[in-house]
Amino acid sequence: MVSAEPLRTLSAEQVVTELASDDFDPSAVAHGVTTYRLVYRTVDARGKPTTASGLLALPRSNDRRLRTVSFAHGTELYRGDAPSVADDVWASAPALTYASAGFAAAAPDYLGLGVGPGPHPWKHVPSETTASLDMLRAARQFAPQTRRTLAREVMVTGFSQGASAALGLARALQEGADRYFRLEAVAPISGAYDFRGAELPALLHSDDLFPKAKVIYLSYLLVSWNRLYGLYERPSEVFKAPYHRTIEDLFDGEHPAQEVLEGTPDDLGGLLTKRAVKMLEHPTGPLTEAMRVDFGVCTDWTPRVPVRLYLVGDDVEAVVANSAHCQAALAARGVEVPIIDLGTGGHENSNRLGTAEIVRWFSELR
């Protein structure tokens, strides 16, 4: 751990008010909460030393030994919207929910978000995994300064981008990546697990998703995965003018979401070249490898703990086929995983609905 900065101390009543202000369910609140920003050492997407940050939320309870929930957040374009630095309820609400229910809640910002250096490697499960694991280690190191210790048991959850990150962390914990922590349960929400078989076809061809959302997701994907896997040599190969000159800089984590929205076209027709469309419709080479790594959280391990996949039936951003494909991949390895349908309300609302259900489930596992 590099540093720990106290952020806020909230009474139970204040937590209830804050959660309810953004339509998060406050019914599990039993304690007040104190939050901290941790900065810690980890590795970047190339395995080189770097730092990252995250939010740690602890209950104001008499318990000296706390079980931990790791929550991995959804897609953010701007480093200032990550859990440890954002000033809105959305970013911290899941951590507040779990901490106020009696858990230690660790919410990594990921690489390149929060106060960590560099651009964020979006949809890169390996670095999301190491950032999440090292956040747990930093939380364990810091906890004694609050006269607490973290128990070995860890429950893992996450939303959207964080759903895959959660499965990546769960896989690493089960495989013994840390000598101390032990995986107890996994509960991802609304993940885009299968980009090749489910998410990418929807982004390219579905009429249900707002055209601007398609532009943002595919721009982020191409820019991020090009940095990691080398999908193109020049932006002009995949992005039309004039965006080929500016789009990589827009997705550097330094631009607020509104600037990114204003700096991108309104639909894919104004964004992608014919070459880009062909590459996305018929993936080969590095793109195929990137998608294999991404979907590996469902295909290349056999969970030995309870797993539940959460979704809403009307999600047009992380389409429900993703969860069905993940469920089928796990079933092929002999693991029966239920899909918990939270009803309707859209992608973002699944985070609210799922958090409410998951905190109750995790509490039952005590």
Side-chain angles (χ1 to χ4, degrees):
M1 188 179 68
V2 176
S3 65
E5 179 183 349
L7 297 176
R8 296 193 299 162
T9 297
L10 303 173
S11 68
E13 292 77 14
Q14 288 172 317
V15 175
V16 167
T17 299
E18 186 153 320
L19 292 176
S21 73
D22 197 10
D23 295 327
F24 280 85
D25 183 356
S27 63
V29 173
H31 310 284
V33 174
T34 301
T35 63
Y36 306 86
R37 180 187 303 117
L38 303 187
V39 178
Y40 57 94
R41 294 180 179 85
T42 187
V43 294
D44 66 15
R46 309 291 183 188
K48 296 180 179 179
T50 188
T51 59
S53 55
L55 179 70
L56 176 66
L58 299 178
R60 298 177 65 196
S61 68
N62 294 324
D63 293 334
R64 299 295 94 187
R65 187 172 181 270
L66 302 173
R67 292 191 306 158
T68 303
V69 172
S70 175
F71 174 80
H73 67 80
T75 297
E76 300 293 354
L77 302 174
Y78 177 50
R79 65 170 58 253
D81 291 331
S84 82
V85 293
D87 56 8
D88 61 5
V89 178
W90 171 262
S92 60
L96 293 180
T97 298
Y98 295 114
S100 65
F103 299 96
D109 293 333
Y110 308 144
L111 296 179
L113 298 176
V115 300
H120 170 54
W122 187 64
K123 286 293 287 178
H124 185 243
V125 170
S127 63
E128 293 162 358
T129 298
T130 52
S132 299
L133 182 59
D134 288 330
M135 175 65 189
L136 286 175
R137 291 166 173 158
R140 182 188 173 208
Q141 182 182 353
F142 171 71
Q145 296 184 34
T146 69
R147 299 182 180 179
R148 309 291 185 87
T149 59
L150 300 190
R152 301 185 74 178
E153 299 85 6
V154 178
M155 285 145 288
V156 179
T157 181
F159 162 68
S160 192
Q161 175 189 357
S164 295
L167 286 170
L169 173 62
R171 175 179 58 188
L173 288 171
Q174 180 173 287
E175 292 173 353
D178 187 84
R179 294 182 179 180
Y180 180 76
F181 289 114
R182 296 292 179 268
L183 180 65
E184 185 168 356
V186 195
I189 308 167
S190 301
Y193 311 109
D194 184 7
F195 237 84
R196 181 167 190 168
E199 191 65 18
L200 192 52
L203 288 173
L204 289 171
H205 302 299
S206 173
D207 293 328
D208 295 328
L209 183 59
F210 291 121
K212 191 70 170 186
K214 297 181 179 185
V215 167
I216 297 302
Y217 283 129
L218 285 177
S219 296
Y220 211 175
L221 185 79
L222 289 170
V223 169
S224 175
W225 279 4
N226 184 63
R227 291 171 180 150
L228 297 164
Y229 298 101
L231 304 184
Y232 55 83
E233 293 184 2
R234 296 178 302 278
S236 60
E237 295 173 14
V238 294
F239 300 115
K240 289 182 176 179
Y243 304 103
H244 70 282
R245 298 187 184 92
T246 57
I247 202 158
E248 291 187 326
D249 288 339
L250 271 181
F251 287 87
D252 62 0
E254 305 296 338
H255 294 77
Q258 187 59 38
E259 291 184 16
V260 179
L261 291 172
E262 293 172 357
T264 49
D266 292 332
D267 56 43
L268 292 181
L271 176 73
L272 298 178
T273 64
K274 291 181 179 179
R275 176 174 177 174
V277 173
K278 181 179 179 180
M279 177 177 67
L280 293 169
E281 289 182 334
H282 306 285
T284 59
L287 183 56
T288 299
E289 173 62 12
M291 292 179 179
R292 184 197 66 77
V293 171
D294 196 51
F295 194 32
V297 296
C298 300
T299 63
D300 69 1
W301 71 301
T302 305
R304 298 191 297 270
V305 301
V307 180
R308 294 179 178 181
L309 303 177
Y310 292 78
L311 56 75
V312 293
D314 62 349
D315 196 333
V316 297
E317 294 186 49
V319 293
V320 298
N322 283 288
S323 293
H325 294 185
C326 188
Q327 181 190 51
L330 291 168
R333 300 180 69 89
V335 182
E336 298 301 320
V337 172
I339 291 178
I340 310 299
D341 191 332
L342 300 164
T344 59
H347 184 63
E348 283 196 359
N349 204 43
S350 70
N351 190 25
R352 299 180 178 94
L353 298 171
T355 297
E357 291 293 323
I358 292 163
V359 71
R360 287 191 281 269
W361 181 43
F362 284 173
S363 296
E364 292 169 359
L365 298 175
R366 290 180 182 273

